[in-house]
Amino acid sequence: MNSHALLLIGLGLGLASCRQDMHDQPKLEAHEASAFFADGRASRPTVPGTVARGELDLDDHFHRGKVDGKHAETFPGEIPLTRDFIERGRQRYDIYCSPCHSRVGDGDGLVVQRGMRRPSSLHIERLQAAPVGYFFDVITNGFGAMFDYREQIPPADRWAIVAYIRALQKSQNARLADVPPADRERLTGGE
């Protein structure tokens, strides 16, 4: 082997041992501990009063479920109460609400069966009479043992859950007289 080949091999081995660990960079990562800050957190809280671009929530009806400081009686105007919207609400309800409230809303979900505190049934008279803004507020801010879902569920999905809760309440307390006549005949077999 000539001296140039040995030099290239030596240089290659030397450079291979001087790798920069790009997968483990010396920087602070989210949720990592840090001795640099007094609170020990690497993630910094937002500065009070700042609003991220696109996050200004001026519509109290849509973002807080309130109209003139009271729980809204109606859904916001931009909410389409369609079958697809209510189906979206069912999907979100099954993910976020059914572990405690159960799929039928009676308050006997899986976590309750494993010892957690039982929530109110969504079918009690007080909750059937509650305005839709009340449910939106509870999903947003929590209530009693229920924690808030403000960060996990965007406002449109919270409204979809509320629409599904209303449909669920109607379904569990439906009477034959509530069914349209054409469908009533199908259910009763023409009786």
Side-chain angles (χ1 to χ4, degrees):
M1 241 187 211
N2 65 25
S3 61
H4 288 295
L6 286 175
L7 181 64
L8 286 174
I9 291 172
L11 185 61
L13 289 174
L15 288 175
S17 66
C18 294
R19 83 173 214 189
Q20 183 179 10
D21 284 330
M22 293 186 74
H23 65 278
D24 189 21
Q25 296 179 7
K27 65 180 180 182
L28 297 176
E29 296 177 2
H31 309 297
E32 192 173 57
S34 168
F36 183 78
F37 296 106
D39 63 3
R41 298 182 304 171
S43 299
R44 307 311 312 142
T46 57
V47 176
T50 60
V51 178
R53 184 175 298 202
E55 298 294 322
L56 185 59
D57 304 333
L58 293 177
D59 184 353
D60 275 352
H61 193 181
F62 181 75
H63 291 284
R64 284 172 266 305
K66 306 250 174 147
V67 174
D68 297 328
K70 297 180 197 162
H71 290 125
E73 299 280 340
T74 61
F75 287 86
E78 63 268 19
I79 298 292
L81 290 177
T82 62
R83 183 181 186 97
D84 289 340
F85 184 72
I86 294 172
E87 178 60 26
R88 172 75 178 180
R90 184 195 62 78
Q91 292 167 351
R92 303 296 98 187
Y93 176 91
D94 287 350
I95 292 167
Y96 296 106
C97 309
S98 70
C100 295
H101 290 278
S102 87
R103 293 238 172 152
V104 294
D106 61 5
D108 195 26
L110 290 176
V111 297
V112 174
Q113 294 171 19
R114 287 168 176 75
M116 296 286 292
R117 185 172 153 196
R118 183 186 181 106
S120 294
S121 168
L122 297 173
H123 306 295
I124 63 174
E125 191 175 325
R126 176 181 64 85
L127 292 180
Q128 287 189 10
V132 292
Y134 171 79
F135 292 102
F136 185 88
D137 184 56
V138 169
I139 295 168
T140 304
N141 299 310
F143 183 82
M146 179 179 155
F147 57 89
D148 69 83
Y149 283 92
R150 176 184 295 116
E151 297 299 321
Q152 295 90 337
I153 308 173
D157 281 350
R158 282 181 250 156
W159 282 114
I161 290 170
V162 172
Y164 178 69
I165 288 171
R166 281 297 195 228
L168 190 61
Q169 287 174 328
K170 284 216 179 274
S171 74
Q172 297 299 305
N173 296 296
R175 299 175 321 231
L176 190 57
D178 296 331
V179 178
D183 295 328
R184 194 176 315 148
E185 288 179 26
R186 240 185 25 199
L187 289 172
T188 61
E191 295 175 19

